Amino acid sequence: METIFTTGCHYRFIFLSLLLTTAVANADQPWQEPTQAVHHDSFFAAKNALAAGDFALFQILFDSLKTYPLAYYLRYLQLKAQMTEVPSHEISQFLQQHRYSSFAQDLRRDWLFYLAEQNQWQQFLTDYVPQPHVGLQCLAQYAQIQTHGADNTTLNEAIKLWKVGKSQPNHCDPLFNYLYARHHINDDLLWQRIALVMDSKTPQLAKALLPNFSDPQLQNLAQLWLAVHDNPNSLLTLIADDTPKMRQIMIDGLKQQSKSDINTAYQTWLQWANRYGFSPTENQQIQQNFALSALQQDLPNTKQWQDAIKNQSRSLALAQMQTQWAFKHQDWSMLLDAIQALPPEEKDQLRWQYWQARALNHTSQTAQAQNLFKSLAKQRDYYGFLAADHLSVEYKLAEKPVAYQKQDLQKLLTDHPEFFYVKEFHAVGLGDLAKREWWALMEKLSSRERALAAVQARQWEWYNYGIYAAHKANVYDDLNIRFPMPFYQKISANANDQALSPSWVYGIIRQESAFSTVIASHVGAMGLMQLMPATGQAVAEQIGLELDNPEAIYQIDNNLRLGTAYLRQMLDQFDDNPLLASAAYNAGPGRVKRWLQQRPCLPTDVWVELIPFKETRNYVRNVLMYSNIFNLRLNEKNPDLRLAAMKINHCSD
């Protein structure tokens, strides 16, 4: 069989032919939409030449494409491949010129690590901008010390990086070794980090820190802490001096002991009450640890442990755990107390306003509950729709399109050529790279520009990009952008073939892919309806659909036919309940059946809150909300999609 693209003269002849065609096509003309196919061929020829290590041919092709929108991507690939050979100022120039590009961000990360390996600290600082990678944050402080010395600001930042409850990346070792060698980390700081580490449940790191103590007594005390943490029953025979550090050890020991024997831990605490001077704050901490352990174990006397801390402020984790226990046992008074203990920014969320109303209603505070329900029912939200069901009123959409003029969009595109870069990535079939650059572009734009970008994306039928841009702009009321209705004929036809609500199918697609036809999840789910390959193949065999290859699942017609058929199967398994079928579509039918066995008869809203997987819990809430939004936008008027209609095993609320 003949190989068309080979190394040697034939390989270069083909590329040089493309080069000549490209040179004629360019003729000193700036790039204009749409790009001719020859540009695409030359682009891939240059990309392949670079991958093959033919840098000379790449340079010739690259020089002919300098006005092409994706020339900067080729330059990125070149700099990445030849990082150790090109002059530093060329990399610096690229990083500055394309600083908002995702490729520049990747190149900067690799470049900074390379400079650190070469001890080129001045160049490191020249090209450094704040980084999410902790290792680079450490190297930046070390570079500062190496070039300008250790002032107080640098030392404070370095210590902040060190004083955490987890192990930091190896790239932090030079900085931390410097701190130890110059005695900037004293025993007091070491003890503070030991406390953070123990609270983070990483005792092995605490053990590794022990040799750094200069005071043998403190080192022995830290070793005692590790021993008590590992064997909390040793508390029963512990006799020690009454010091703040010793009480820290005792509090942690009681916490560990309460996880297996809360009553013994409680009795130990009572015995110590007169011997050790626990402060009110320390006693409160002990009580809350007991309350948390009781919740985690769901002990028979859990409610008594919660009553003991009823008037105390408490951690967010404890308050949230209390709400889950209250949901499970439908303890409405405890739910009210737990909600009141939430931080204001948490308590003000629609979710907790709704549950406060539910709890008030169940504790004979009907007037307050009704007022909350009325306020919530105005919201286009899952909890707003639940509130509307309680009042038996219609769901509200509250639509408000983004206001703009045509010239606003023209200016946006003129000011930001990155829009055309994204467009060209799509034109050459590199959708993943287009998505990366769109996400990066949103970080560059102002809030108003993001809103306009959402409008432009919708006009270009980049539905998922528009949804993302609207979210980044905090623009939630333009429903044409956030809840578009593409592929209507195909979606409605497939939905009708399976006797499904088109609005529900739209809700599933909106949650699964945001209308991206080429998206693949991190676990391999494919296309509009995010079908796993094995599921798609199995359903295809069941319905007699022949797939030429695994990639055929991406094709819109195939994806919709397979996805709606699978939804029909889920609906059949779960008594025509869209809520349960949606949960099964996400988590699998086996898990949903197990959850129903564990909690066979609960109010629908409570059952959703108790879905064990956070992803599935959010998925179900979103699908139900989206489905009802599409129900209104399509004027489907399907009463079966109202949340009140979806009973769990026909149980009443």
Side-chain angles (χ1 to χ4, degrees):
M1 180 180 292
E2 180 184 0
T3 301
I4 297 178
F5 289 100
T6 61
T7 57
C9 294
H10 188 62
Y11 170 87
R12 294 177 66 84
F13 173 78
I14 292 174
F15 284 155
L16 288 169
S17 297
L18 286 169
L19 167 64
L20 291 172
T21 309
T22 304
V24 171
N26 276 346
D28 296 326
Q29 295 297 316
W31 178 82
Q32 297 179 354
E33 288 190 87
T35 305
Q36 296 177 4
V38 67
H39 291 103
H40 297 175
D41 293 339
S42 298
F43 168 75
F44 282 108
K47 189 170 179 287
N48 292 336
L50 189 60
D54 194 338
F55 299 124
L57 179 57
F58 167 83
Q59 193 62 51
I60 296 171
L61 286 162
F62 177 75
D63 288 342
S64 73
L65 289 168
K66 285 188 175 178
T67 61
Y68 178 60
L70 302 188
Y72 82 106
Y73 175 66
L74 293 174
R75 179 61 169 157
Y76 153 73
L77 293 177
Q78 180 189 30
L79 292 174
K80 189 176 177 69
Q82 298 181 288
M83 182 186 297
T84 61
E85 302 165 29
V86 298
S88 298
H89 73 270
E90 292 188 19
I91 294 180
S92 298
Q93 183 181 24
F94 181 88
L95 295 177
Q96 177 61 26
Q97 185 177 354
H98 300 284
R99 59 189 178 279
Y100 294 106
S101 165
S102 65
F103 309 124
Q105 293 164 16
D106 286 354
L107 180 64
R108 189 186 303 273
R109 182 189 62 240
D110 295 345
W111 175 238
L112 290 173
F113 278 129
Y114 170 74
L115 292 174
E117 289 174 5
Q118 302 300 311
N119 294 318
Q120 295 184 35
W121 299 115
Q122 187 59 60
Q123 187 66 46
F124 183 102
L125 291 177
T126 298
D127 293 326
Y128 183 83
V129 297
Q131 296 289 310
H133 194 292
V134 174
L136 286 174
Q137 294 173 28
C138 287
L139 289 171
Q141 298 306 319
Y142 189 68
Q144 190 70 28
I145 291 170
Q146 292 299 307
T147 54
H148 303 295
D151 59 20
N152 288 336
T153 300
T154 303
L155 288 174
N156 288 337
E157 289 300 316
I159 290 171
K160 191 185 299 182
L161 287 164
W162 171 84
K163 200 176 75 173
V164 295
K166 60 182 180 180
S167 182
Q168 296 286 49
N170 292 339
H171 294 100
C172 292
D173 289 349
L175 177 66
F176 296 168
N177 290 338
Y178 174 88
L179 294 176
Y180 283 123
R182 301 299 193 281
H183 306 292
H184 293 300
I185 295 175
N186 56 32
D187 283 353
D188 185 51
L189 285 172
L190 268 171
W191 186 267
Q192 291 176 40
R193 190 176 184 196
I194 292 280
L196 292 170
V197 166
M198 298 301 285
D199 192 54
S200 299
K201 304 173 186 176
T202 50
Q204 286 304 313
L205 176 56
K207 189 174 182 180
L209 291 169
L210 291 179
N212 295 301
F213 279 104
S214 60
D215 184 345
Q217 289 185 325
L218 270 182
Q219 188 180 62
N220 291 336
L221 202 56
Q223 286 176 325
L224 175 63
W225 193 341
L226 284 168
V228 168
H229 184 89
D230 186 54
N231 179 22
N233 287 328
S234 62
L235 289 170
L236 298 173
T237 57
L238 182 64
I239 299 175
D241 294 335
D242 183 10
T243 66
K245 289 183 174 59
M246 193 64 230
R247 292 197 298 274
Q248 272 185 283
I249 296 172
M250 292 174 170
I251 290 169
D252 182 62
L254 290 171
K255 179 180 179 180
Q256 301 309 314
Q257 190 176 48
S258 69
K259 294 177 181 178
S260 58
D261 189 350
I262 195 170
N263 292 322
T264 299
Y266 179 68
Q267 291 301 320
T268 302
W269 176 47
L270 292 181
Q271 291 172 18
W272 286 347
N274 294 325
R275 190 187 312 169
Y276 298 100
F278 291 105
S279 68
T281 300
E282 289 170 334
N283 280 322
Q284 183 171 304
Q285 184 180 354
I286 293 168
Q287 286 179 300
Q288 293 195 13
N289 287 340
F290 289 161
L292 185 60
S293 288
L295 289 165
Q296 291 168 336
Q297 298 170 69
D298 198 6
L299 299 175
N301 59 348
T302 294
K303 184 64 185 296
Q304 295 174 3
W305 291 108
Q306 310 315 309
D307 288 342
I309 64 168
K310 190 166 186 176
N311 297 318
Q312 298 177 6
S313 60
R314 62 208 77 161
S315 69
L316 176 60
L318 176 54
Q320 289 177 331
M321 182 71 74
Q322 287 179 321
T323 63
Q324 289 300 105
W325 191 91
F327 286 140
K328 181 178 179 181
H329 296 274
Q330 294 186 66
D331 189 322
W332 301 105
S333 61
M334 181 171 162
L335 181 59
L336 267 180
D337 175 65
I339 291 172
Q340 291 304 316
L342 291 169
E345 64 276 10
E346 187 87 7
K347 186 166 56 178
D348 289 343
Q349 293 179 8
L350 295 181
R351 178 189 184 195
W352 296 118
Q353 290 183 42
Y354 170 77
W355 284 112
Q356 184 178 4
R358 284 278 272 137
L360 288 168
N361 206 41
H362 277 277
T363 53
S364 302
Q365 301 176 71
T366 311
Q368 288 178 263
Q370 290 296 101
N371 287 336
L372 270 175
F373 282 139
K374 287 177 183 177
S375 175
L376 284 165
K378 299 174 185 176
Q379 303 296 320
R380 185 190 60 252
D381 179 83
Y382 169 75
Y383 292 102
F385 293 166
L386 285 174
D389 281 338
H390 278 280
L391 299 173
S392 299
V393 299
E394 294 299 317
Y395 296 167
K396 305 295 183 186
L397 283 186
E399 185 169 8
K400 184 181 179 183
V402 174
Y404 70 95
Q405 301 294 326
K406 184 177 180 180
Q407 55 266 33
D408 295 332
L409 299 182
Q410 292 172 340
K411 185 177 187 304
L412 180 73
L413 299 181
T414 301
D415 291 346
H416 303 287
E418 293 92 341
F419 283 93
F420 296 106
Y421 303 167
V422 173
K423 203 166 192 180
E424 188 62 11
F425 273 122
H426 276 295
V428 298
L430 297 176
D432 287 346
L433 300 184
K435 181 179 176 181
R436 280 183 56 180
E437 288 296 81
W438 183 266
W439 264 231
L441 175 58
M442 291 306 104
E443 298 303 315
K444 173 186 178 183
L445 302 182
S446 68
S447 180
R448 172 60 179 167
E449 288 174 325
R450 290 170 184 167
L452 293 172
V455 173
Q456 185 63 74
R458 177 64 182 84
Q459 291 186 4
W460 284 346
E461 298 182 352
W462 294 354
Y463 304 110
N464 57 323
Y465 290 0
I467 290 167
Y468 181 75
H471 169 71
K472 293 294 289 184
N474 295 318
V475 170
Y476 297 112
D477 295 333
D478 192 324
L479 302 190
N480 192 44
I481 293 173
R482 295 195 62 230
F483 298 97
M485 296 176 288
F487 320 117
Y488 176 75
Q489 296 299 329
K490 294 177 185 292
I491 289 174
S492 59
N494 280 279
N496 292 332
D497 287 346
Q498 297 293 341
L500 302 175
S501 160
S503 297
W504 182 40
V505 177
Y506 263 112
I508 292 284
I509 294 173
R510 171 64 169 79
Q511 174 63 24
E512 288 284 356
S513 67
F515 303 104
S516 171
T517 60
V518 296
I519 191 172
S521 75
H522 67 282
V523 295
M526 305 164 72
L528 275 177
M529 298 192 71
Q530 286 291 276
L531 289 158
M532 293 297 292
T535 302
Q537 189 61 52
V539 175
E541 292 173 4
Q542 292 164 7
I543 66 175
L545 176 62
E546 192 170 327
L547 299 174
D548 296 334
N549 53 66
E551 299 297 307
I553 293 176
Y554 279 112
Q555 203 275 330
I556 295 175
D557 290 333
N558 291 340
N559 200 274
L560 288 173
R561 188 175 172 191
L562 294 169
T564 52
Y566 186 61
L567 265 184
R568 180 71 255 174
Q569 293 177 12
M570 296 301 98
L571 207 57
D572 289 342
Q573 287 192 47
F574 293 100
D575 200 21
D576 282 333
N577 188 318
L579 185 159
L580 298 176
S582 298
Y585 194 89
N586 176 259
R591 289 192 178 98
V592 176
K593 290 174 182 177
R594 201 157 54 242
W595 299 338
L596 285 170
Q597 290 172 353
Q598 294 167 351
R599 302 183 180 92
C601 197
L602 283 174
T604 304
D605 54 0
V606 173
W607 194 89
V608 171
E609 296 294 331
L610 290 173
I611 292 175
F613 298 161
K614 181 179 180 181
E615 178 192 326
T616 304
R617 197 161 58 243
N618 290 335
Y619 181 95
V620 168
R621 288 191 291 228
N622 285 344
V623 166
L624 297 182
M625 175 177 68
Y626 297 162
S627 299
N628 277 287
I629 291 172
F630 285 114
N631 193 28
L632 291 171
R633 281 176 61 73
L634 291 168
N635 201 29
E636 191 179 340
K637 298 181 180 178
N638 184 346
D640 293 337
L641 288 179
R642 283 190 72 106
L643 306 182
M646 302 182 195
K647 306 294 184 184
I648 303 300
N649 292 336
H650 304 289
C651 299
S652 65
D653 287 351

